[in-house]
Amino acid sequence: MNPNLTFAPGDVLSPGTMEAEDVAAAAKHVAVSGTDILTVKNLSKIFGPKPERAADLIKQGLGRNEIFEQTGNMVAVNDVSLSVKAGEIFVVMGLSGSGKSTLVRLLNRLIEPTSGQVILEGHDIAPMSTLELRDVRRKKMAMVFQSFALLPNRTVLDNIAYGLEVAGIKKAQRYEIARTALTRVGLGSYEKLLPSELSGGMQQRVGLARALAVNPAVLLMDEAFSALDPLIRFEMQCELLRLQKEEQRTIVFISHDIEEAIKIGGRIGIMKDGCLIQVGTPAELIQSPADAYVRDFFRNVDVSRFLKASSLMTKVDRGLISCDVGTSSERYLNQLIDSGVECGYVCDESGRYQGCVTPASLHKSGTRPVRDALLRDVNAVSLDADLHQLAAIALSQEHDVPVTDTAGKLAGVVSCRTILKQVMERRAA
């Protein structure tokens, strides 16, 4: 029995160790989005009888297999450094044996590191005492495992409330917290059922709700959806994204599936032989892979839908934007000619995109306002427009594609050359 609690196997929590004020304090904990909440510095884990000898061989440049042959030690995680920002889903992925699951267990010291630091909200957990570490696992860093690990003789609600019960929370309060967590994952009407009466996807939702119940600063998910059927897995991915959109939690998600990583990850770290090879957004990894290993992950994936206008666009020189659509076309024409550009992008006084103009359309308009020179066949796209959408628009118009944000303001422009280059690279792959 290994329920998805926020303490390690072997931890013993006596009643009363988590008082009501602890829960209230945890509920008030909100990290500033975009700031580093979890930092890993030179983290390593070497399994075996002579880790010091293995560490010396690493410095000499020997590989994992050579070190194992010479010392019998396995280098599971090798000098990994990374940072996770508050409110992001950071995906760690790699093939089997790459060290990703060991890494996530080092983050909360379910596995003791050989060397390095794990800094959570400014505090290094490596030197923490057992009591301090238990407190971190109980309040700051929850974990959802691949196995559902629900208690078969307890109802859904009791499963979610179990960790709070062990921590000494009063019954009425822990049930209130558990019901809130259950509602978050869309199972509010299932609280009285037993785990055996739920589907696999529902059971994993309960496991997720159990972790959410303690309102952790960081949620660790170790291949949490990999045991699910494809359809249920897809639904759980969508559910996680829905929760993330509503609550902006900080999640470290372990996966071996590149499709899953691209779908849910704000940034992805790719591991090989215990080393972190590259970290970046999906678009960064697709467009600028560090090596052939990273490139091969995307070989059989249609990445066109993951290449967004936001990552392909270039910002437009503000000097080429008229902030007054009433400006004389003749005056703006001289500005474009002096700048040597083919298009101008016109915005109103609030910065909202109005349309595109060319020297030809401005010349035809003469002394009339710029608004009369706007080209009617130049379509703008949102920041989330993918390569398929961009290619379709580029084929239907002569000019580059303007990109607008949610407020309708001009964010940048994707050139037809860039679109064509990306399309050709995808076909060549």
Side-chain angles (χ1 to χ4, degrees):
M1 182 171 61
N2 183 22
N4 300 343
L5 305 180
T6 55
F7 47 87
D11 281 352
V12 178
L13 302 181
S14 59
T17 55
M18 189 175 182
E19 303 296 339
E21 54 267 25
D22 292 329
V23 177
K28 291 179 181 178
H29 170 82
V30 179
V32 179
S33 181
T35 60
D36 291 344
I37 188 172
L38 180 65
T39 303
V40 175
K41 296 183 178 180
N42 307 113
L43 191 63
S44 295
K45 177 60 183 180
I46 302 172
F47 292 102
K50 300 177 181 178
E52 301 84 4
R53 173 62 177 150
D56 289 338
L57 294 177
I58 291 173
K59 294 177 182 178
Q60 296 175 28
L62 272 69
R64 174 194 264 186
N65 293 337
E66 294 173 293
I67 293 173
F68 182 74
E69 290 175 1
Q70 292 189 27
T71 68
N73 289 266
M74 175 54 66
V75 181
V77 173
N78 183 7
D79 196 31
V80 168
S81 296
L82 58 86
S83 61
V84 179
K85 298 184 182 301
E88 79 167 328
I89 299 181
F90 187 99
V91 177
V92 180
M93 70 162 301
L95 302 177
S96 178
S98 62
K100 57 188 185 298
S101 289
T102 300
L103 175 62
V104 75
R105 283 165 170 75
L106 290 172
L107 298 182
N108 61 359
R109 274 181 58 191
L110 286 178
I111 296 176
E112 292 290 339
T114 301
S115 60
Q117 294 178 291
V118 177
I119 301 170
L120 175 64
E121 296 183 317
H123 300 285
D124 186 3
I125 72 168
M128 286 184 178
S129 67
T130 301
L131 289 176
E132 291 172 323
L133 183 59
R134 185 179 300 155
D135 196 56
V136 166
R137 293 171 181 159
R138 194 170 66 233
K139 301 176 186 177
K140 301 284 189 180
M141 196 180 290
M143 191 162 185
V144 180
F145 297 92
Q146 178 178 344
S147 60
F148 312 134
L150 301 180
L151 303 173
N153 59 334
R154 285 179 172 248
T155 66
V156 165
L157 188 65
D158 283 327
N159 265 280
I160 296 172
Y162 181 72
L164 300 172
E165 177 186 347
V166 174
I169 302 298
K170 293 180 180 179
K171 185 175 182 179
Q173 187 175 7
R174 68 176 181 259
Y175 278 175
E176 180 181 355
I177 295 171
R179 286 191 176 96
T180 299
L182 193 59
T183 299
R184 286 176 183 168
V185 299
L187 294 178
S189 59
Y190 293 83
E191 65 176 57
K192 295 182 180 180
L193 297 183
L194 294 173
S196 60
E197 299 175 283
L198 303 178
S199 68
M202 288 179 175
Q203 290 181 42
Q204 190 61 288
R205 286 173 189 248
V206 175
L208 178 58
R210 180 160 54 188
L212 294 175
V214 296
N215 195 34
V218 177
L219 181 61
L220 307 177
M221 303 185 71
D222 185 17
E223 301 213 44
F225 305 152
S226 63
L228 302 174
D229 293 335
L231 181 58
I232 298 175
R233 184 175 187 174
F234 175 81
E235 292 175 351
M236 285 301 300
Q237 292 167 355
C238 293
E239 182 69 20
L240 184 65
L241 290 173
R242 182 189 67 79
L243 287 170
Q244 183 67 2
K245 184 177 181 179
E246 293 177 357
E247 302 182 10
Q248 289 295 292
R249 291 184 175 274
T250 306
I251 300 171
V252 179
F253 192 100
I254 305 301
S255 178
H256 65 271
D257 185 335
I258 187 63
E259 290 266 11
E260 180 173 69
I262 294 174
K263 179 178 179 178
I264 69 174
R267 289 187 301 148
I268 302 170
I270 296 183
M271 294 192 68
K272 176 187 179 184
D273 294 339
C275 298
L276 188 63
I277 304 299
Q278 186 176 4
V279 174
T281 64
E284 288 169 346
L285 297 177
I286 292 167
Q287 295 178 68
S288 303
D291 56 20
Y293 179 77
V294 176
R295 186 181 300 110
D296 284 346
F297 270 106
F298 303 97
R299 186 173 300 279
N300 296 318
V301 178
D302 177 13
V303 299
S304 300
R305 64 190 187 279
F306 302 115
L307 287 174
K308 305 294 186 181
S310 57
S311 64
L312 297 175
M313 72 180 189
T314 55
K315 293 183 178 180
V316 178
D317 184 350
R318 296 297 298 179
L320 301 182
I321 299 174
S322 169
C323 291
D324 182 359
V325 292
T327 300
S328 164
S329 295
E330 185 176 34
R331 178 182 172 186
Y332 195 38
L333 172 60
N334 293 331
Q335 185 179 345
L336 287 188
I337 292 174
D338 291 341
S339 302
V341 299
E342 297 180 358
C343 291
Y345 301 92
V346 181
C347 299
D348 64 16
E349 293 179 352
S350 299
R352 290 188 294 271
Y353 175 70
Q354 301 298 302
C356 171
V357 294
T358 64
S361 71
L362 290 168
H363 179 74
K364 183 178 180 180
S365 182
T367 59
R368 295 197 300 274
V370 168
R371 68 168 63 90
D372 294 336
L374 296 178
L375 299 175
R376 302 302 177 186
D377 58 348
V378 178
N379 296 300
V381 299
S382 69
L383 290 165
D384 289 333
D386 63 29
L387 185 58
H388 288 299
Q389 295 168 290
L390 289 168
I393 291 175
L395 288 172
S396 65
Q397 64 189 36
E398 298 179 11
H399 306 291
D400 296 339
V401 182
V403 182
T404 57
D405 62 17
T406 53
K409 295 182 178 181
L410 185 66
V413 174
V414 183
S415 72
C416 290
R417 183 185 298 272
T418 296
I419 296 171
L420 178 60
K421 178 176 180 290
Q422 291 297 331
V423 170
M424 295 304 294
E425 287 182 358
R426 304 286 78 77
R427 289 183 177 178

